[in-house]
Amino acid sequence: MSQRTCLSVILAAGEGTRMKSAVPKVLHPIAGLPMVAHVVRAAEAAGAGDQALVIGHGADEMRKATQKFAPKAENFVQDKRLGTAHAVLAARAAISKGYDDILVMFGDTPLIDPEVLTAARLKLAEGAAVVVVGFRTSNPSGYGRLIEKGGKLVAIREENDCTDEEKKITFCNGGLMAIAGKHALTLLDQVGNNNAKGEYYLTDIVEIAGGQGLDVVATEASFENALGINNRAELAAAEGIWQTRRRREAMLSGVTLIAPETVFFSHDTEIGADTIVEPNVWFGPGVKIATGAKIHAFSHIEGATIASNCDVGPFARLRPGADLRQKAKVGNFCEVKQATVEEGAKVNHLTYIGDARVGAGANIGAGTITCNYDGYSKFFTDIGEGAFIGSNSSLVAPVTIGKGGYIASGSVITESVPDDALAFGRARQKTLPGKGKELRERFASAAAAKKAAG
């Protein structure tokens, strides 16, 4: 297969009105990645190194988005929506370059498996001119039926046109099609629009090719591979299927998910063996976790790197740029952003660490805040190896706490602290005997007067 050239033509021009969104339908995400990007990735994994995206609604937004996940793809605009064959022909310039295989895919089918595409391409390599991907279902109502004779596909029949006998067929059209490049334009150009809607249907090339003595066959895939997304409910269902697949993959690779159905991965989550993930954890894009980490319940992690044997949560938030080194701990109700927590350092509870370095073995007490933002700019806090930051301390950046430095609890630190120094940054306590009782009496009298005045 590696010797055969392949172009994937991905149809992504629809408005998706049932999504009720200003965002083009195919840009709605599954696992944090636009659904059309999942289709592009599947095509690439099946050897379709070149892609032609047929766009229409929200064309400018589509072009901008595709630069991120398909920077080399060619974009073709389908100005008028006159059917699927018409949409494919919008990419005529790409198809005419002489590829061995043409894959026709849909931008709203994000669960397509690369192996399904590879199987279709293998049929082309064996001599088929057209390969249609189908699925079997016990309830075929509403789907086009694949009509086969003698192992060949002779027609795709829409349900309204089926005979009573044909309606019993459970092998249905999944939409995806592979076409031999040498026949593609000839077949597509022969598709007519002599039908009730006056549209050019891609499915017509099955009978056109068969009428010319070309081999047309069907290959079978699961229903999930053909699942198209048309509304938010179907988007959520597809997300659920994707997550179920990913959770199983993670567990089979050695990750413990205590309550798998409550853990949500992103499309690029990397997680090492012997990691334990407790219930209700959400992984956003850009998370990398090494082996042996423990992620406690209700943690929210995005754009973070977590080294081996780290301990995170419960109720921790790691934001982009969080970098936890080996055996580091970020505990309950802590937030870390754009900061390195070095080996063995502990940020145990109720703490914000942003734009900072926490040195190896340092201990950060409860309620510590790195004050990194003055309303205009961000500033850096450097906490040295083995430093101890007492509870309820505010470190006003830019500031450095030296190696072994000790910050007394309740301090506001505005100047750098040398190695092994002790720093106090709080007002001296003053105690006034009997003053508490006096204040209570004064406040109670004022409240009574106010109530009496109405």
Side-chain angles (χ1 to χ4, degrees):
M1 294 298 295
S2 61
Q3 314 237 330
R4 295 176 64 86
T5 58
C6 184
L7 169 73
S8 59
V9 179
I10 300 172
L11 307 186
E15 285 189 47
T17 54
R18 282 177 282 175
M19 295 294 285
K20 301 191 184 305
S21 174
V23 177
K25 178 174 73 168
V26 298
L27 293 185
H28 284 265
I30 299 289
L33 188 71
M35 64 174 87
V36 67
H38 286 274
V39 178
V40 169
R41 286 187 170 189
E44 290 174 341
D50 294 337
Q51 296 96 34
L53 267 67
V54 179
I55 60 178
H57 175 68
D60 290 340
E61 192 173 355
M62 286 290 298
R63 288 190 188 96
K64 184 178 178 180
T66 55
Q67 283 300 307
K68 296 179 181 178
F69 59 80
K72 296 181 181 179
E74 289 188 83
N75 290 305
F76 298 90
V77 177
Q78 184 190 18
D79 293 319
K80 296 181 180 179
R81 294 176 188 85
L82 300 178
T84 46
H86 179 263
V88 176
L89 281 172
R92 180 187 293 272
I95 297 170
S96 65
K97 291 179 181 179
Y99 292 91
D100 294 315
D101 304 335
I102 306 293
L103 291 175
V104 179
M105 307 171 68
F106 294 86
D108 62 357
T109 56
L111 301 178
I112 184 68
D113 193 319
E115 284 155 1
V116 172
L117 305 178
T118 300
R121 291 191 63 202
L122 283 170
K123 296 286 187 183
L124 295 181
E126 292 167 359
V130 178
V131 182
V132 175
V133 175
F135 63 93
R136 296 189 186 276
T137 175
S138 59
N139 181 22
S141 178
Y143 296 109
R145 308 303 203 275
L146 299 185
I147 313 297
E148 293 181 295
K149 288 183 181 178
K152 304 295 182 183
L153 183 65
V154 296
I156 301 176
R157 194 94 71 223
E158 294 305 316
E159 186 171 55
N160 290 341
D161 299 324
C162 286
T163 65
D164 289 341
E165 200 60 33
E166 288 171 341
K167 285 181 180 179
K168 296 177 183 178
I169 296 172
T170 58
F171 196 20
C172 300
N173 180 28
L176 187 144
M177 192 176 290
I179 310 169
K182 63 184 178 181
H183 299 300
L185 287 177
T186 301
L187 294 173
L188 288 164
D189 282 333
Q190 292 180 66
V191 175
N193 65 342
N194 185 23
N195 53 62
K197 289 188 176 181
E199 293 186 352
Y200 299 85
Y201 295 131
L202 180 63
T203 52
D204 287 353
I205 73 169
V206 169
E207 292 187 71
I208 293 170
Q212 296 177 8
L214 299 173
D215 278 347
V216 182
V217 297
T219 184
E220 185 176 342
S222 70
F223 172 72
E224 292 176 359
N225 284 274
L227 182 62
I229 310 302
N230 295 299
N231 55 50
R232 308 287 182 134
E234 291 172 352
L235 183 70
E239 178 80 38
I241 293 168
W242 190 96
Q243 292 293 343
T244 298
R245 289 178 178 179
R246 184 66 184 89
R247 292 163 188 151
R248 177 175 172 77
E249 179 185 316
M251 290 186 286
L252 292 179
S253 68
V255 177
T256 295
L257 305 180
I258 293 175
E261 68 281 2
T262 69
V263 176
F264 289 83
F265 292 107
S266 190
H267 64 96
D268 59 353
T269 305
E270 297 179 21
I271 184 165
D274 290 322
T275 292
I276 298 173
V277 183
E278 293 181 356
N280 297 296
V281 174
W282 190 88
F283 296 102
V287 176
K288 296 182 179 180
I289 304 175
T291 60
K294 190 163 187 177
I295 313 298
H296 296 281
F298 294 99
S299 293
H300 185 288
I301 303 171
E302 180 177 3
T305 301
I306 300 172
S308 59
N309 301 307
C310 286
D311 198 288
V312 177
F315 294 97
R317 186 180 182 195
L318 301 184
R319 291 170 58 194
D323 183 0
L324 277 56
R325 305 293 170 83
Q326 288 189 11
K327 297 182 180 179
K329 180 177 181 181
V330 174
N332 51 290
F333 301 102
C334 291
E335 180 176 345
V336 177
K337 187 251 350 174
Q338 202 62 45
T340 300
V341 182
E342 294 187 347
E343 184 173 354
K346 295 179 180 179
V347 183
N348 280 317
H349 33 218
L350 302 162
T351 292
Y352 171 69
I353 301 294
D355 298 286
R357 177 187 75 96
V358 179
N363 187 91
I364 309 299
T368 295
I369 301 170
T370 55
C371 306
N372 57 325
Y373 184 51
D374 65 359
Y376 298 93
S377 302
K378 299 288 180 69
F379 298 94
F380 191 75
T381 299
D382 190 28
I383 301 171
E385 178 183 343
F388 180 92
I389 311 299
S391 297
N392 200 36
S393 293
S394 296
L395 310 180
V396 184
V399 70
T400 297
I401 310 301
K403 179 180 178 181
Y406 195 113
I407 305 302
S409 296
S411 293
V412 177
I413 302 298
T414 59
E415 298 177 1
S416 292
V417 178
D419 292 354
D420 296 317
L422 169 63
F424 289 82
R426 63 193 185 201
R428 185 178 296 276
Q429 179 176 322
K430 186 175 182 180
T431 303
L432 302 176
K435 193 67 174 178
K437 181 180 180 182
E438 179 186 325
L439 284 174
R440 284 195 298 273
E441 290 173 350
R442 186 196 308 167
F443 294 154
S445 176
K450 184 176 180 181
K451 183 177 181 181

